């Protein structure tokens, strides 16, 4: 499962950077050049980190327990960095948006969380950390009085976050059970092969 998480995290980089550049452009156009530059810088750091992780560990057929712990911790830290990046966008850029662009931003956030659910749920607490920061900041900004205030959006973000968390947990549990059953079947098949070989050897003797 960790190999899948590594490969998919690297594949998601292009989509992530497209979203980052678009949101940064919105911030730049609104006059918040500091937030726009910060967003791009964090996005590039996240992308480089994911590519490096996949290049170093994605092609290995097996990982040692120490390597597994290291990869999981790095994916969790990467998720925190992504979450902080979206916090910057939500706190400083999102409130400056109006109409369609504000709606598009919310869709981008939801899409980012949904995309992350497919691979980050397999790497420790990565998805929980990312979604807490990403959706949490949207909820906070939506509850603070101001141009971006929207109680219905805050409620929907909470419901969406809880739903995605439950779905990813079920997905992870189902995948783990399937892998465990596959391993048990492999062990049983190996035992049958050994028993057959032993019986054939006894018959020859």
């Amino acid at each position: 499962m960790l190999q899948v998480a590594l490969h998919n995290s690297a594949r998601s980089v292009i989509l992530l950077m497209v979203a980052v550049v678009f949101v940064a452009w919105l911030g730049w156009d609104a006059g918040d050049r500091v937030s726009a530059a910060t967003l791009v810088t964090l996005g590039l750091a996240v992308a480089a980190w994911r590519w490096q992780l996949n290049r170093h560990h994605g092609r290995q057929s097996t990982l040692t327990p120490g390597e597994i712990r290291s990869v999981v911790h790095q994916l969790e830290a990467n998720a925190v960095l992504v979450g902080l990046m979206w916090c910057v966008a939500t706190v400083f850029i999102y409130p400056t948006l109006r109409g369609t662009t504000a709606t598009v931003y919310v869709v981008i956030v939801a899409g980012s969380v949904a995309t992350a659910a497919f691979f980050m749920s397999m790497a420790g607490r990565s998805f929980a950390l990312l979604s807490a920061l990403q959706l949490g900041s949207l909820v906070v900004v939506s509850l603070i009085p101001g141009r971006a205030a929207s109680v219905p959006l805050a409620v929907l973000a909470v419901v969406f976050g809880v739903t995605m968390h439950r779905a990813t947990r079920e997905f992870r549990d189902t995948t783990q059970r399937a892998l465990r059953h596959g391993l048990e079947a492999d062990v049983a098949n190996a035992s049958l092969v050994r028993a057959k070989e032993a019986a054939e050897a006894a018959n020859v003797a």
Side-chain angles (χ1 to χ4, degrees), residues 4 24 30 36 38-39 48 80 89 101 108-109 127 152 160 162 181:
V4 174
T38 302
L39 196 64
V80 171
T101 53
I108 290 174
V109 169
F127 179 73
F160 178 68
V162 172
H181 291 161

Side-chain angles (χ1 to χ4, degrees), residues 137-152:
S137 60
L138 182 61
V139 170
V140 171
V141 170
S142 298
L143 292 177
I144 295 176
R147 293 184 296 180
S150 174
V151 174

Side-chain angles (χ1 to χ4, degrees), residues 24 71 128 167:
V71 170

Side-chain angles (χ1 to χ4, degrees), residues 7 14 32 41 61 80 83 86-87 104 127 136 150 158 162 172 184 187 189-190 194 197 202:
H7 289 311
I14 294 177
D32 191 353
T41 301
S61 57
V80 171
W86 285 110
C87 283
V104 169
F127 179 73
S150 174
V158 171
V162 172
R172 183 179 62 246
E184 291 172 352
V187 171
N189 288 336
R194 287 195 297 271
E197 291 174 349

